[in-house]
């Protein structure tokens, strides 16, 4: 059972804010109530605040809690103090991961704005060191949804391996509010069932298309090749070009969008399909003068090239603002947490911390915000309970 003393924090300015734990109280505590020396709400608050402040494992969480016990007592009783790292690990390993994921999504829905017009990038990431060679346990693979405009992680689903993204993506979509959003997914998620699910959720899609779709991929690739050879004569085509320069290179991206589906094999099987897209990326190295070219293809339920180009560019936000941050700032790929469901639980803690830190009105980087949260009790209070 959760501790009875859920709380509301009163800010100096007189405003009232309900704490995030009110949503997470839906997680069931598997321990016997009479044996629970450390209430679950106290452990969860401890873990979240410690990860925000730089803790990277159970030992760091316990150490942070003992150093900041007086601060924690401002919000919850902590009558028995801070549990040791073994107790924290034991309790968190027994959380229901699906329940924890659902609570995360519910919490995000409380702070996220209406998703109409949002671009939601869905992508997977493997925690490389979460495997166990002795037991042949495969590394954790998390499929996450990233709101590109709001810069928020909307939710995640844990899978045993990358190939399970196909089944994980519909589960994640069912958890999210996607009405009016545009959803982008890489080639692994380019599936008829996923396209149908997205349209059923009142959203649109831009799906990367590769060889896993065999005949369809070849048909789209051939269509653009023939059309280009004929200078797109007789083809209703939209085009947009962007230019980026930096890091010693110049990259030109040209986006092509065509709504003619007549040559595709059974396009009617793809719910809501309205166009095919191609992106030609040309990269020139300023020093060597070497030029390389890459072509990528897409299936879309939209017909506007500006929106298509924005969606393709925005998709990389999930890599740069979420996966890169988890790896570099939160050092997820270096984590040796492997026991049971702990890798998935700790991933959710990191994403929860990342969201809270991003909500702060601050010019500091995420890494600097974590350091500031470790040093400054008032800053940490604002991060967690703003």
């Amino acid at each position: 059972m959760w501790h009875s003393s859920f709380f509301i924090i009163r800010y100096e300015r007189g405003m009232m804010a309900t704490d995030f734990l009110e949503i997470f109280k839906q997680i069931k505590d598997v321990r016997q109530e009479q044996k629970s020396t450390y209430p679950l709400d106290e452990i969860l608050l401890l873990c979240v605040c410690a990860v925000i402040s730089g803790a990277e494992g159970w030992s760091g969480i316990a150490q942070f809690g003992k150093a900041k016990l007086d601060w924690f007592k401002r919000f919850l009783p902590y009558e028995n103090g801070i549990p040791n790292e073994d107790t924290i690990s034991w309790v968190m390993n027994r959380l229901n991961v699906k329940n924890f994921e659902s609570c995360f999504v519910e919490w995000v829905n409380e702070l996220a704005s209406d998703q109409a017009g949002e671009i939601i990038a869905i992508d997977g990431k493997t925690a490389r060191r979460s495997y166990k060679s002795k037991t042949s346990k495969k590394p954790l693979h998390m499929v996450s949804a990233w709101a590109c405009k709001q810069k928020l992680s909307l939710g995640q689903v844990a899978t045993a391996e990358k190939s399970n993204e196909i089944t994980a993506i519909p589960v994640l979509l069912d958890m999210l509010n996607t009405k009016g959003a545009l959803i982008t997914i890489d080639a692994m998620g380019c599936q008829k069932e996923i396209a149908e699910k997205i349209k059923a959720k009142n959203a649109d899609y831009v799906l990367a298309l590769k060889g896993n779709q065999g005949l369809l991929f070849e048909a789209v690739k051939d269509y653009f090749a023939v059309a280009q050879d004929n200078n797109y004569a007789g083809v209703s085509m939209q085009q947009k070009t962007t230019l980026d320069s930096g890091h010693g290179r110049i990259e030109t991206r040209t986006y092509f969008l065509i709504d003619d589906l007549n040559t595709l094999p059974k396009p009617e099987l793809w719910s809501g399909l309205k166009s095919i897209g191609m992106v030609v990326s040309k990269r020139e190295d300023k020093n060597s003068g070497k030029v390389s070219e890459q072509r990528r293809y897409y299936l879309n339920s939209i017909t506007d090239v500006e929106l298509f180009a924005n969606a393709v560019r925005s998709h990389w936000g999930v890599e740069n603002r979420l996966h890169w941050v988890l790896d570099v700032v939160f050092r997820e790929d270096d984590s040796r947490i492997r026991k049971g469901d702990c890798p998935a639980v700790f991933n959710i803690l990191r994403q929860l911390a990342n969201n809270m830190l991003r909500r702060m009105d601050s010019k500091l980087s995420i890494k600097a915000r974590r350091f500031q949260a470790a040093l400054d009790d008032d800053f940490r209070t604002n991060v967690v309970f703003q």
Side-chain angles (χ1 to χ4, degrees):
M1 296 294 292
W2 282 72
H3 199 283
S4 59
S5 58
F6 284 101
F7 54 91
I8 291 179
I9 295 178
R10 184 182 301 274
Y11 288 91
E12 291 182 0
R13 61 179 179 270
M15 297 293 289
M16 304 287 283
T18 304
D19 70 284
F20 74 97
L21 289 175
E22 197 64 34
I23 291 176
F24 286 85
K25 71 181 180 181
Q26 300 171 53
I27 301 174
K28 183 180 179 181
D29 192 341
V30 299
R31 300 169 296 171
Q32 296 295 325
E33 184 175 3
Q34 62 271 23
K35 296 181 181 179
S36 299
T37 304
Y38 305 100
L40 189 55
D41 59 343
E42 293 183 358
I43 293 177
L44 184 57
L45 180 63
L46 166 65
C47 290
V48 171
C49 294
V51 172
I52 284 173
S53 304
E56 296 172 355
W58 309 123
S59 177
I61 289 173
Q63 184 179 2
F64 177 81
K66 291 172 184 177
K68 295 293 183 179
L69 179 57
D70 289 341
W71 180 83
F72 279 106
K73 284 185 173 182
R74 291 166 53 187
F75 312 117
L76 287 177
Y78 287 91
E79 294 176 352
N80 296 302
I82 299 297
N84 62 34
E85 61 180 285
D86 291 334
T87 299
I88 298 170
S89 172
W90 188 92
V91 172
M92 297 301 282
N93 185 40
R94 282 157 179 78
L95 291 186
N96 184 307
V97 175
K98 295 185 182 300
N99 199 191
F100 199 16
E101 291 167 349
S102 297
C103 288
F104 178 96
V105 172
E106 184 177 343
W107 171 74
V108 173
N109 285 339
E110 290 289 326
L111 61 95
S113 61
D114 187 357
Q115 299 299 356
E118 179 63 88
I119 296 175
I120 299 176
I122 294 180
D123 197 19
K125 176 187 178 299
T126 299
R128 293 183 298 175
R129 294 185 183 273
S130 59
Y131 67 92
K132 275 189 176 181
S133 56
K134 292 183 179 180
T135 61
S136 299
K137 178 184 177 181
K138 296 181 179 179
L140 170 72
H141 190 77
M142 297 291 287
V143 180
S144 300
W146 177 257
C148 299
K149 295 181 180 179
Q150 298 175 79
K151 299 181 178 63
L152 284 174
S153 174
L154 299 179
Q156 58 283 312
V157 172
T159 72
E161 52 190 303
K162 182 174 177 61
S163 61
N164 288 342
E165 283 189 21
I166 295 173
T167 57
I169 290 173
V171 174
L172 180 57
L173 286 170
D174 277 334
M175 297 165 62
L176 304 177
N177 169 25
T178 61
K179 186 176 181 180
L182 175 58
I183 296 175
T184 68
I185 312 177
D186 65 13
M188 180 67 75
C190 187
Q191 306 289 331
K192 300 181 187 70
E193 297 78 11
I194 291 176
E196 184 176 4
K197 171 69 72 174
I198 292 172
K199 294 305 297 181
K201 295 277 293 181
N202 298 307
D204 282 306
Y205 60 78
V206 170
L207 305 178
L209 178 65
K210 290 186 178 179
N212 62 328
Q213 286 298 331
L215 293 176
L216 180 59
F217 172 71
E218 293 300 328
V220 171
K221 184 178 177 181
D222 290 346
Y223 188 106
F224 277 104
V226 173
Q228 188 174 41
D229 287 343
N230 291 279
N231 294 319
Y232 294 96
V235 176
S236 177
M237 183 269 292
Q238 299 177 59
Q239 179 178 336
K240 176 181 175 62
T241 300
T242 62
L243 180 66
D244 293 314
S245 180
H247 304 288
R249 61 176 182 262
I250 300 173
E251 187 162 6
T252 304
R253 297 186 184 93
T254 306
Y255 303 83
F256 301 87
L257 198 68
I258 295 174
D259 59 9
D260 179 11
L261 309 178
N262 291 326
T263 64
L264 303 186
K266 299 181 178 180
E268 68 278 3
L269 296 181
W270 293 82
S271 178
L273 181 62
K274 293 182 179 179
S275 68
I276 55 176
M278 178 176 70
V279 180
V280 179
S281 301
K282 291 185 178 180
R283 181 177 296 181
E284 178 183 354
D285 188 290
K286 292 180 181 179
N287 297 319
S288 66
K290 183 179 179 181
V291 177
S292 60
E293 180 178 297
Q294 182 184 39
R295 298 185 176 217
R296 304 192 300 275
Y297 303 92
Y298 298 84
L299 300 182
N300 319 294
S301 66
I302 58 173
T303 56
D304 180 81
V305 72
E306 291 281 350
L307 186 55
F308 170 62
N310 190 23
V312 172
R313 290 196 306 271
S314 296
H315 182 81
W316 296 109
V318 72
E319 289 285 346
N320 299 332
R321 296 184 181 274
L322 179 61
H323 293 166
W324 185 89
V325 169
L326 291 177
D327 282 345
V328 177
V329 178
F330 289 87
R331 298 185 64 189
E332 182 168 76
D333 269 0
D334 293 330
S335 176
R336 297 299 184 112
I337 295 175
R338 299 168 179 171
K339 186 176 181 180
D341 288 329
C342 282
V345 168
F346 218 100
N347 174 273
I348 298 173
L349 289 173
R350 294 185 189 101
Q351 298 209 40
L352 184 63
N354 187 35
N355 275 357
M356 287 184 171
L357 289 162
R358 286 190 178 280
R359 291 170 62 206
M360 285 292 295
D361 184 15
S362 172
K363 295 182 179 180
L364 296 174
S365 67
I366 299 299
K367 182 178 180 180
R369 293 180 199 188
R370 292 187 84 195
F371 186 58
Q372 186 70 18
L375 298 175
D376 188 334
D377 290 348
D378 290 336
F379 184 86
R380 187 185 322 109
T381 300
N382 287 330
V383 170
V384 180
F385 300 111
Q386 62 181 308

